[in-house]
Amino acid sequence: MKLPTDHPNPLVRRLLSFWAPTPASLRGWALAAVVANAGITLTGAVVRVSGSGLGCPTWPKCTPDSFVPVAHDDISWVNMAIEFGNRLFTFLVLAVGAACLIAAMRLRPRRASLVRLAWLQPAGIVAQALWGGVVVRTALNPFTVGMHYLLSIGLIAACWMLYARAGEGDGPAVRVAHRDVRRLGWVLLAAVFALLVAGVVVTGTGPHSGDVLASRFDLDIEAVARLHADIVYVVVGLTFALLFALHVSDAPRNARRAALALFAVELAQGVIGYTQYFLAVPAFLVGLHVLGSTLVWIAALNAVTSLRTRGQLEADSPRSPTEAAAAV
């Protein structure tokens, strides 16, 4: 029997791997979903810092008369193209999420935990797209814009958990470090989420609203920026504490490397943050800072999941449904 993974072109084999999945290929699709959802946070930032938030002034259509950009006297074609490109990127994210779901459902033996996690992606992406309509219809209200970003953060967490769980068994979670160290990891993850929320408040208060007509939070930008910086210090301190605790307790190398990677990403993000502050928040650095915040979140998720294991996969789990049929 000819398998989808028998195609001579390696790129085609990878693209078709969702139909004849193995745990490794499912992990690959889950990682692709993490990248795609991180990518849409970046394109969303480009929309905002370029003033293209209302480049397509209606939803679901781009203009009142067309789903695709058409010449409009009041809107720059550049702004329209940027916003429409961000909308198109949603379909790529949806396609990757659908591939994850198909792979999880066709994996043999089927694992209910993976199917449940995979379902979160297409469901969440559809909810995210509908929320995008709310963003447009509220003329880029900072609350709806901020929630748009936080929904992506939630989707990234779901994708990462699918990636982590696809590479391990379905046994109970067993910590690989001391109980208090693992608790410290969860506290750190909560602090990182609080940091992202504070960052949303800062961006909803400062410049780069996405359009001149967009409203802003009625807050003191200096005060919210200082609060954001204070939470940064807490996050960095907790990360250093985790790194130190893992080192002195002789935790597995994977956990120590994950904590070190998080610490390095945080330091790089801090450099970007302070640089953009002292340079009066240039658009390019704002976009880079949004990407950095997403990378900090992914690194924090990696650090937390590295603190536990669920055992090894069963010996027969790498067989895909198509491979099982071909072996008969």
Side-chain angles (χ1 to χ4, degrees):
M1 180 183 295
K2 188 172 179 60
L3 306 177
T5 49
D6 288 335
H7 197 281
N9 189 309
L11 177 60
V12 175
R13 288 201 302 270
R14 290 188 178 93
L15 291 175
L16 295 178
S17 62
F18 66 88
W19 195 252
T22 64
S25 63
L26 176 55
R27 289 196 89 200
W29 280 108
L31 187 59
V34 172
V35 174
N37 279 280
I40 204 167
T41 66
L42 178 60
T43 61
V46 172
V47 168
R48 182 161 56 83
V49 300
S50 64
S52 305
L54 295 178
C56 287
T58 63
W59 189 95
K61 293 182 178 180
C62 182
T63 65
D65 302 319
S66 175
F67 281 98
V68 298
V70 294
H72 198 287
D73 293 338
D74 299 325
I75 303 174
S76 164
W77 68 269
V78 174
N79 295 141
M80 188 175 289
I82 292 174
E83 166 60 9
F84 186 70
N86 183 59
R87 293 189 183 189
L88 286 181
F89 198 88
T90 302
F91 291 98
L92 174 61
V93 179
L94 180 60
V96 175
C100 288
L101 177 58
I102 294 171
M105 295 183 71
R106 287 185 56 80
L107 185 67
R108 294 294 181 271
R110 179 182 291 190
R111 298 171 58 191
S113 59
L114 300 186
V115 175
R116 286 193 295 269
L117 284 170
W119 264 114
L120 291 175
Q121 294 185 50
I125 294 163
V126 170
Q128 177 79 308
L130 294 175
W131 189 261
V134 176
V135 172
V136 173
R137 292 176 182 273
T138 59
L140 308 185
N141 180 281
F143 172 78
T144 61
V145 173
M147 285 300 299
H148 207 34
Y149 170 79
L150 293 178
L151 281 171
S152 289
I153 290 300
L155 280 169
I156 288 173
C159 297
W160 183 264
M161 288 308 301
L162 178 62
Y163 170 76
R165 292 296 306 276
E168 58 190 11
D170 282 325
V174 177
R175 63 178 185 269
V176 298
H178 190 275
R179 176 187 59 191
D180 293 337
V181 175
R182 192 175 179 209
R183 288 175 177 172
L184 176 60
W186 283 110
V187 172
L188 171 59
L189 186 65
V192 171
F193 183 76
L195 178 62
L196 299 181
V197 173
V200 165
V201 175
V202 172
T203 56
T205 304
H208 306 300
S209 62
D211 191 270
V212 293
L213 299 177
S215 60
R216 303 273 80 197
F217 287 130
D218 187 18
L219 300 170
D220 179 16
I221 185 61
E222 291 289 339
V224 294
R226 289 194 187 98
L227 175 62
H228 182 63
D230 289 341
I231 301 176
V232 169
Y233 297 141
V234 172
V235 168
V236 173
L238 289 172
T239 305
F240 183 80
L242 177 63
L243 187 59
F244 180 76
L246 291 172
H247 178 73
V248 298
S249 63
D250 196 26
R253 181 180 298 180
N254 180 54
R256 284 180 284 155
R257 285 181 173 177
L260 182 60
L262 173 59
F263 190 66
V265 173
E266 288 170 354
L267 292 181
Q269 175 74 334
V271 170
I272 296 171
Y274 275 105
T275 302
Q276 71 169 8
Y277 179 80
F278 289 115
L279 294 181
V281 201
F284 173 75
L285 288 181
V286 171
L288 195 60
H289 199 56
V290 171
L291 176 61
S293 68
T294 305
L295 295 179
V296 168
W297 177 242
I298 295 171
L301 291 168
N302 182 37
V304 170
T305 54
S306 71
L307 299 176
R308 93 287 182 274
T309 181
R310 292 180 180 270
Q312 299 295 319
L313 291 170
E314 295 180 8
D316 60 343
S317 59
R319 294 168 66 111
S320 72
T322 317
E323 290 169 334
V328 176

